[in-house]
Amino acid sequence: MQIGLVTLFPEMFAAIAEHGISGRAIRSKLVSLDFWNPRDFSLDKHRTVDDKPFGGGPGMLMKTEPLVASIQAAKSSLSNAKVTYLSPQGATLTQHRVVELAAKDSLILVCGRYQGIDARILETEIDEEISLGDFVISGGEIAAMALIDAMIRFQPGALGDKDSAQQDSFTAGLLHSPEYTRPQNFKGQEVPTELLNGNHEVIRKWRVKQSLGATWLKRPDLLEDASLSLEQEKLLQEFKLEHEQEQILGANK
Ligand SMILES: C[S@@+](CC[C@H](N)C(=O)[O-])C[C@H]1O[C@@H](n2cnc3c(N)ncnc32)[C@H](O)[C@@H]1O
């Protein structure tokens, strides 16, 4: 996958290019990052990249001409790529959208700075706006890195275990089941016995039940959209009963 980045701060991307799973995927060329810095397209002697908003008000906007020139340079290099602007006003990013975007050969990500970009550029140069959530950060770079990292998890060969991303929270519409590592007894707390007996069917059912239970407890909104199999319905009912009994036992202690 080829990712073009329009950013005033290309050096920030070392955070994903030099570390962990994303770093390995970029080093092994599963994913390439190419940068277009509006500063390189600024024609005045100070290489200005910001400008005042019409109508006044606090803050600056990204200067129009260098920003558009850098987006167009990225487009001529990645000719089939859609252009996504990271923006708090975009649709909130979901795992579903990550999977769709990760399947593309190329993508151009525009990272805003200051108070953002001229509204006309949204119309002429941008295909989609994506938000990390209902909060404001100082620039689009961290949002772009979050999106790139999430997409890398779906590139074949990026993860040690090819099923890992499929089992991540949200990929199948549910939260991941709880996980445990050694020691088996940690300060008096035991690992669930179902995970210890090596019986794959028992482990599978336990994980499905706990995944449903975690979703019901922490993100019940996800269950509203989920179409559960008969087995999942049954396991969720079992989880709810067991949870209720634990609550009663806890209250009587
Ligand atoms: C300080 S913000 C501008 C916010 C803008 N004035 C507003 O209120 O809509 C600067 C840049 O950070 C990025 N940004 C801020 N919050 C974001 C979010 N939640 N998701 C994605 N990008 C974000 C955008 O690229 C934006 O242009």
Side-chain angles (χ1 to χ4, degrees):
M1 182 179 197
Q2 290 182 290
I3 301 174
L5 287 148
V6 175
T7 170
L8 290 172
F9 297 104
E11 60 282 4
M12 285 180 73
F13 289 82
I16 54 167
E18 293 177 9
H19 304 280
I21 287 167
S22 56
R24 202 174 56 211
I26 292 165
R27 278 194 301 278
S28 63
K29 311 235 182 308
L30 281 178
V31 171
S32 71
L33 304 185
D34 295 303
F35 298 95
W36 282 271
N37 189 336
R39 202 172 288 283
D40 298 333
F41 294 84
S42 181
L43 299 177
D44 67 282
K45 72 172 183 196
H46 301 294
R47 299 173 78 201
T48 310
V49 287
D50 62 348
D51 215 337
K52 289 185 216 145
F54 277 111
M60 302 289 273
L61 291 175
M62 293 186 81
K63 190 170 173 57
T64 306
E65 296 86 345
L67 177 60
V68 170
S70 54
I71 295 173
Q72 286 179 349
K75 281 184 182 174
S76 25
S77 179
L78 300 171
S79 50
N80 295 320
K82 294 274 182 207
V83 182
T84 295
Y85 172 46
L86 284 311
S87 158
Q89 302 187 12
T92 305
L93 186 60
T94 61
Q95 187 82 330
H96 180 69
R97 191 68 191 126
V98 167
V99 173
E100 287 176 347
L101 291 172
K104 296 188 181 297
D105 294 335
S106 57
L107 189 64
I108 295 168
L109 302 177
V110 177
C111 306
R113 278 277 154 179
Y114 315 116
Q115 288 303 323
I117 71 179
D118 185 303
R120 292 165 295 183
I121 302 178
L122 289 179
E123 280 177 37
T124 54
E125 305 293 338
I126 305 293
D127 298 304
E128 179 182 22
E129 289 179 73
I130 285 184
S131 169
L132 271 198
D134 290 349
F135 52 89
V136 173
I137 51 181
S138 306
E141 288 78 8
I142 289 175
M145 284 191 268
L147 171 58
I148 294 168
D149 187 297
M151 291 191 297
I152 283 176
R153 297 181 66 75
F154 288 96
Q155 300 306 310
L159 299 183
D161 181 336
K162 68 178 174 43
D163 294 332
S164 200
Q166 297 305 329
Q167 290 174 9
D168 277 343
S169 293
F170 308 111
T171 304
L174 300 172
L175 301 186
H176 197 286
S177 67
E179 297 277 17
Y180 299 85
T181 184
R182 289 180 290 183
Q184 192 174 315
N185 180 315
F186 183 63
K187 298 185 177 177
Q189 288 181 289
E190 287 284 352
V191 171
T193 49
E194 289 87 341
L195 297 176
L196 302 175
N197 59 14
N199 183 326
H200 295 302
E201 182 54 11
V202 170
I203 294 171
R204 183 192 70 78
K205 273 196 176 162
W206 184 88
R207 287 190 166 143
V208 172
K209 190 201 278 191
Q210 298 307 317
S211 158
L212 287 158
T215 311
W216 174 65
L217 288 172
K218 298 182 196 176
R219 288 291 306 274
D221 56 302
L222 295 177
L223 285 175
E224 284 163 24
D225 299 330
S227 62
L228 301 185
S229 66
L230 280 177
E231 182 195 45
Q232 287 176 317
E233 292 279 8
K234 185 171 161 279
L235 290 170
L236 178 57
Q237 289 316 317
E238 279 178 30
F239 182 94
K240 287 180 179 176
L241 269 178
E242 286 163 14
H243 180 73
E244 206 177 304
Q245 281 159 5
E246 279 166 23
Q247 299 290 99
I248 294 168
L249 280 175
N252 290 340
K253 266 189 187 166

